[in-house]
Amino acid sequence: MYKQIFGKYTPKKENLIYILHEIQDQHPEHYISAEAIKIVAEYLSISESHIQGVLTFYTMFSTKPRGRNIIRLCESPPCFLKGSEDILRQLRQLLEVKIGETTADGIFTLELCACLGVCGNAPVMMINEDVYGDLTEAKVESIIASYRGGK
Amino acid sequence: MKFYRSHILIGIDDASLAAGVKEIEAILRSELQKNNLSEEINILETGTLGLFGTGVSLMVYPEQTAYVNLQKSDIAEIVEEHFLKGRPVHRLILDNTLVRKYDFNYKRRIVLNNSGVIDPENIDEYLGTGGYEAWEKALTSMQPEAVLQEVKASGLRGRGGAGFPAGLKWSFTAPIKAEQKYVVVNADEGEPGTFKDRLIMEGDPHKLLEGVMLCAYAIGASEGYIYIRGEYKLCISRLEKAIEQARDYGILGKNIFGSGFDLDIFIKIGAGAYVCGEETALIESMEGNRGTPRSKPPFPGVAGAWQMPTVVNNVETLANVPAIITNGAAWFAEHGVEGCTGTKVYTIMGDVRLPGLCEVDMGTTLRTIIQQYAGGMKEGKAFKAALVGGAAGVFLNDQRLDVKMDYNSLKEYAAVLGSGAILVMSHSADMVDMLWSVLRFFRHESCGKCIPCAKGTQLLYKLIDGIRKGKGKESDLDEMIRISNGMLKSSFCALGQSPCMPINSAITNFREDFLARIK
Ligand SMILES: Cc1cc2nc3c(=O)[nH]c(=O)nc-3n(C[C@H](O)[C@H](O)[C@H](O)COP(=O)(O)O)c2cc1C
Ligand code: FES
C-alpha cells in the first residue's frame, strides 16, 4: 500500500497531508497507525513527532482504529437550529454508542463535525464520502439500515 | 450549433447528489429517448439552480418552469405531459406564487451569472459566454500595472472576511522582486452557514481560474494554489477538470498566448480545521504543518508561502476580477454602493420558505433579501432574529431588518459580511440555545496556540452551558461580555477576536431570552 501511495507523491513535507489522507482512506479501520507514522516519517525525512502533531491537529484524521463506516453529524448552528440534537439522540440509540465510539459489530463510528457547507439542507450528516441532507427520523433509520444490510 | 426546442437544466451539486439526482437524470434520458425526443430536448448538467431543500429539481427553458422534489416515478409523466404534449405537470412545479416571489436576479449577477446556466465541466461553454476574454485582453494588450490599476479603481473589496481592498493588497506584492511569487485562493470555507464559495466553484470553476490568472499576471506570480477543504469533493473534481482543460487549450502553461508569461495552477486539500481559513494558518497547512496562525508582520504579501511574497484572496473576490477587466472598473462600480462596490453572494437558511443562495448588489437590505430572494418567512412563522456572518457573526433583531448590507453600514460589525451566511430564526428559536451552539463551535475550533483564545473559549462555553441548564446568574452575562472583549484585545488571531460579536449582539438584542433562563 505505501509503495503505491508514495509513488504518487514526491518526498516533500508539503505532501504530508495528502499521504496521510490516502493511508487513512485505504486502511479498513480508517486510521493512521504507529507503524504508518514511522514509515511516512522515513519517506519524507521528517520527525515522527511532527506527524503526530499534524494528526492531532486536523479533525479528519484518527490515530485510533475506527469502524468500516464513519458517520459525521454536523453540529454547527444552522444544523442545530434544524434539529441536529434530535438526530444525534436517535443515532446514539440506534447504534448504541456514545460520540466517538464504534459499534460492537465494527460497522459504524459516530462522530460530530463542524459545518459541512451543505446547510441549505440542514440537518446534515456525512457517511464516508456521501452527504445526506434534510434528515428526518425516518430517513436516518432507512439510511442506517441500508449500510447495515449491504455495505 | 444544434437547435433544441427546450433545454432541461439539472443542477448537480452536493445537495442534489445526496438527493439522488444521478439516478433521476438517467431515467430522464431514457424516457426522452423512448419518446424520440432526444434530438429536440437537450439535457444540461450545471451547477446549483439556487433551490435548496427541494430535493432533485429541474429547470426547463425557455419556459422557466421549475420542477421540484422529483421522484423516479414522476419522470415518465413529465416527459409525456410536458415535453410530448406541452402540458406542464402542475403538481410538481414549484408553487407558482413562490416562483413569482422568487427572484434569481440573473441580470445583476457578476460571479454567479453562469451558474445554473452552463455546463461547468466544459470549457467551451465558458468560452461561449465570453470566458477567458479578460485573460486574453490582459496578456495581449495590458501591462500588469494596468490590470492592477483597474482592480484598484473598481473598489473591489475582499469577500472572505475583513473586506480589505483587493487592488491595494496586490499593490504591496507587485513591486517586490523575488524568485517566486504565489497567488493562493482561500477556498477553505469553514464558517458555519457559508457555502457560497462551493457554489461558485461547482457552478463556474473556470471563472475562478481566470481570476487567479489575472491576479498572477498583475503581481507577477507564476504559480497559483487553490486551498480547498477536503469535504468539497465535487468542487475538487470540477476544478481539476477545469485546470486540465485550460492546460490543453494553452490558457495555462508556458508562454501563454505568445506573451512570454508562464503560469500554472495547483490544488491543495485541507483536512478539517476552521482556523485553517485564517490566511497564515492556511499557508502553514499548505506547507504540511499544523495549521496554526503565524505572527504578522511579516504579512503574506511580503513573506507567505515558502517565505515568498503571496497574495491570499477568497474565491468570491477573485471570481469578480474577470468581469472587471472585461467591462472596466466603472461598470463594476455601478453595482453596489459608494465605498462598497459590486455584488455579494449570500446563502440564506433557517425558517425561510426558500432557503438558498442569492447574489445581489452590495447595500441591499436584509428585509429585501429575505422577502424577495428567499420567499419570505415560512408559513406561520414570524421573524425573530438573523445570525448574519456565521458563528463569527452577529445576531440582529427585527429593528435591524432595514439595515443595508455592506461593509460601511455594518461597520460596527466589521467582519460579518464576508462569509455571506444569513441564518433566519423565527420565534420558536431561543437565543440561549443558539449562542450555546455558537460558543460550542468556538470551543472546539480554537487552535490552542494562544492562551486568551484557548482558555477564553472554554470559559465562555461553561458560562453559557450553565445558563442553558438553568444554573446561571445575571452577572454571568456581564462576565461573558467582559471575557470576550478581553479576547478581542489579546488573542493572537481573529478567531479569538470573534466570539465577542455574537455574544454582545445576542445579549444586547435578546436579553429577555437570557433572563428567562436565569431564575
Ligand atoms: C478563524 C478564521 C477563519 C477564516 N476563514 C476563512 C475562510 O474560510 N475563507 C476565506 O476566504 N477567508 C477566511 N478568513 C479570512 C482570511 O484570513 C483572509 O482575510 C482572507 O482569505 C483574505 O481574502 P480576501 O481579502 O479576498 O477576503 C478567516 C479568518 C479567520 C481568522
Ligand atoms: S451547518 Fe451543518 S452543514 Fe452547515
Side-chain angles (χ1 to χ4, degrees), chain B residues 89-104:
Chain B
V89 184
H90 287 284
R91 90 187 153 81
L92 298 169
I93 293 178
L94 184 66
D95 176 357
N96 273 330
T97 54
L98 278 184
V99 176
R100 241 178 289 122
K101 262 191 155 176
Y102 196 78
D103 184 347
F104 291 95

Side-chain angles (χ1 to χ4, degrees), chain A residues 13-18 21 25 50 52-54 56-61 72 75-78 80-82 84-85 112 114-121 126 129 131-134, chain B residues 15 18 52-53 192-193 195 198 229 231-233 267-272 275-276 285-292 306 349-350 378 423 425 429 433-434 436-438 440 444-445:
Chain A
K13 188 178 70 174
E14 61 181 272
N15 290 325
L16 173 63
I17 291 173
Y18 296 83
H21 264 307
D25 287 349
H50 179 87
Q52 278 289 358
V54 167
T56 51
F57 186 83
Y58 297 99
T59 51
M60 283 172 87
F61 295 127
R72 301 168 72 209
E75 62 164 359
S76 284
F80 173 78
L81 179 73
K82 290 285 185 180
S84 61
E85 298 284 294
L112 292 175
C115 180
L116 295 165
V118 205
C119 341
N121 300 79
M126 232 172 158
E129 311 261 275
V131 178
Y132 297 91
D134 300 309
Chain B
F52 295 85
F195 47 103
R198 170 167 74 78
R229 56 182 300 188
E231 287 93 345
Y232 281 6
K233 302 280 181 219
I267 293 174
K268 287 270 172 193
I269 297 168
V275 72
C276 285
S285 178
M286 262 179 56
E287 295 181 7
N289 302 322
R290 289 167 70 92
T292 49
W306 298 284
M349 69 229 101
K378 267 213 177 104
L423 177 62
M425 289 158 274
D433 290 336
M434 292 311 296
W436 176 81
S437 169
V438 165
R440 178 175 61 175
H444 186 260
E445 297 298 336

Side-chain angles (χ1 to χ4, degrees), chain A:
Chain A
M1 168 177 86
Y2 297 108
K3 254 219 186 95
Q4 172 247 330
I5 294 173
F6 292 160
K8 288 200 258 176
Y9 301 100
T10 52
K12 283 196 201 145
K13 188 178 70 174
E14 61 181 272
N15 290 325
L16 173 63
I17 291 173
Y18 296 83
I19 293 173
L20 294 176
H21 264 307
E22 292 221 11
I23 293 176
Q24 175 165 293
D25 287 349
Q26 291 191 19
H27 197 295
E29 290 177 303
H30 297 291
Y31 83 114
I32 309 281
S33 64
E35 182 209 358
I37 293 176
K38 211 163 165 184
I39 295 172
V40 175
E42 232 160 73
Y43 179 65
L44 296 180
S45 314
I46 54 178
S47 71
E48 287 178 38
S49 66
H50 179 87
I51 299 181
Q52 278 289 358
V54 167
L55 285 174
T56 51
F57 186 83
Y58 297 99
T59 51
M60 283 172 87
F61 295 127
S62 174
T63 48
K64 288 196 207 82
R66 293 186 286 180
R68 281 207 294 287
N69 302 292
I70 316 287
I71 303 177
R72 301 168 72 209
L73 177 71
C74 170
E75 62 164 359
S76 284
C79 280
F80 173 78
L81 179 73
K82 290 285 185 180
S84 61
E85 298 284 294
D86 296 331
I87 302 293
L88 177 61
R89 217 167 294 131
Q90 187 199 357
L91 281 170
R92 287 183 51 171
Q93 261 170 18
L94 270 175
L95 305 175
E96 298 175 15
V97 290
K98 293 205 204 60
I99 298 159
E101 289 181 352
T102 300
T103 52
D105 55 15
I107 297 183
F108 297 104
T109 299
L110 177 62
E111 295 181 356
L112 292 175
C113 68
C115 180
L116 295 165
V118 205
C119 341
N121 300 79
V124 174
M125 68 178 174
M126 232 172 158
I127 302 185
N128 309 327
E129 311 261 275
D130 295 319
V131 178
Y132 297 91
D134 300 309
L135 295 176
T136 57
E137 288 209 3
K139 231 173 158 175
V140 169
E141 202 159 315
S142 83
I143 293 167
I144 295 297
S146 77
Y147 278 82
R148 273 195 175 135
K151 307 184 196 179

Side-chain angles (χ1 to χ4, degrees), chain B residues 155 157 333 335-342 362-363 404 406-409:
Chain B
R157 296 171 68 164
H335 297 75
V337 290
E338 175 131 23
C340 210
T341 50
M362 282 279 188
K404 283 192 174 152
D406 63 74
Y407 292 103
N408 295 338
S409 310

Side-chain angles (χ1 to χ4, degrees), chain B residues 158-164 169 186 188-191 197 274-275 277-279 312-315 317 493-495:
Chain B
R159 304 290 199 247
F164 194 83
K169 185 187 277 189
N186 190 338
D188 194 45
E189 194 156 73
E191 191 65 58
D197 295 338
Y274 170 66
V275 72
E278 198 279 338
E279 55 189 14
V312 183
N313 269 135
N314 171 259
V315 172
T317 313
C493 86
L495 197 160

Side-chain angles (χ1 to χ4, degrees), chain B residues 180-473:
Chain B
Q180 187 66 268
K181 294 185 207 174
Y182 301 105
V183 179
V184 171
V185 183
N186 190 338
D188 194 45
E189 194 156 73
E191 191 65 58
T194 309
F195 47 103
K196 65 179 178 78
D197 295 338
R198 170 167 74 78
L199 301 177
I200 294 169
M201 293 183 283
E202 283 175 359
D204 201 2
H206 285 286
K207 185 169 277 135
L208 172 61
L209 296 187
E210 191 173 6
V212 177
M213 294 170 191
L214 292 163
C215 175
Y217 182 63
I219 65 161
S222 59
E223 284 184 12
Y225 287 90
I226 303 174
Y227 182 95
I228 185 165
R229 56 182 300 188
E231 287 93 345
Y232 281 6
K233 302 280 181 219
L234 187 62
C235 291
I236 294 168
S237 81
R238 285 197 169 154
L239 280 167
E240 278 170 349
K241 267 191 202 143
I243 291 172
E244 263 326 295
Q245 292 169 351
R247 285 179 189 146
D248 283 349
Y249 277 54
I251 291 170
L252 278 177
K254 298 248 178 275
N255 189 21
I256 304 165
F257 304 143
S259 64
F261 188 76
D262 304 338
L263 176 67
D264 208 349
I265 299 177
F266 307 94
I267 293 174
K268 287 270 172 193
I269 297 168
Y274 170 66
V275 72
C276 285
E278 198 279 338
E279 55 189 14
T280 60
L282 184 148
I283 289 171
E284 282 291 319
S285 178
M286 262 179 56
E287 295 181 7
N289 302 322
R290 289 167 70 92
T292 49
R294 293 176 177 172
S295 52
K296 300 188 238 186
F299 286 90
V302 178
W306 298 284
Q307 297 303 321
M308 293 295 162
T310 303
V311 164
V312 183
N313 269 135
N314 171 259
V315 172
E316 186 185 351
T317 313
L318 290 169
N320 273 293
V321 176
I324 293 172
I325 299 305
T326 305
N327 304 317
W331 169 87
F332 184 79
E334 279 166 19
H335 297 75
V337 290
E338 175 131 23
C340 210
T341 50
T343 59
K344 183 78 196 79
V345 181
Y346 298 101
T347 46
I348 317 165
M349 69 229 101
D351 295 322
V352 291
R353 292 174 84 181
L354 284 171
L357 90 161
C358 69
E359 177 180 348
V360 295
D361 278 40
M362 282 279 188
T364 305
T365 66
L366 186 55
R367 188 188 300 278
T368 306
I369 292 173
I370 294 173
Q371 290 303 334
Q372 196 169 333
Y373 301 102
M377 295 298 291
K378 267 213 177 104
E379 211 93 20
K381 302 246 181 188
F383 178 91
K384 174 175 180 177
L387 175 58
V388 177
V394 287
F395 287 94
L396 302 178
N397 60 17
D398 56 0
Q399 308 281 306
R400 299 283 183 154
L401 274 172
D402 292 307
V403 73
K404 283 192 174 152
M405 302 279 280
D406 63 74
Y407 292 103
N408 295 338
S409 310
L410 282 172
K411 202 185 232 142
E412 45 187 316
Y413 312 121
V416 310
L417 204 61
S419 92
I422 303 176
L423 177 62
V424 178
M425 289 158 274
S426 66
H427 284 274
S428 50
D430 185 288
M431 293 307 122
V432 176
D433 290 336
M434 292 311 296
L435 187 61
W436 176 81
S437 169
V438 165
L439 294 178
R440 178 175 61 175
F441 172 79
F442 281 117
R443 181 188 64 157
H444 186 260
E445 297 298 336
S446 173
C447 78
K449 175 168 174 143
C450 75
I451 305 275
C453 175
K455 267 254 177 322
T457 51
Q458 297 286 349
L459 274 173
L460 290 170
Y461 176 77
K462 230 169 128 185
L463 286 166
I464 191 75
D465 195 47
I467 295 173
R468 187 165 185 247
K469 290 184 174 136
K471 292 181 197 147
K473 310 186 286 292

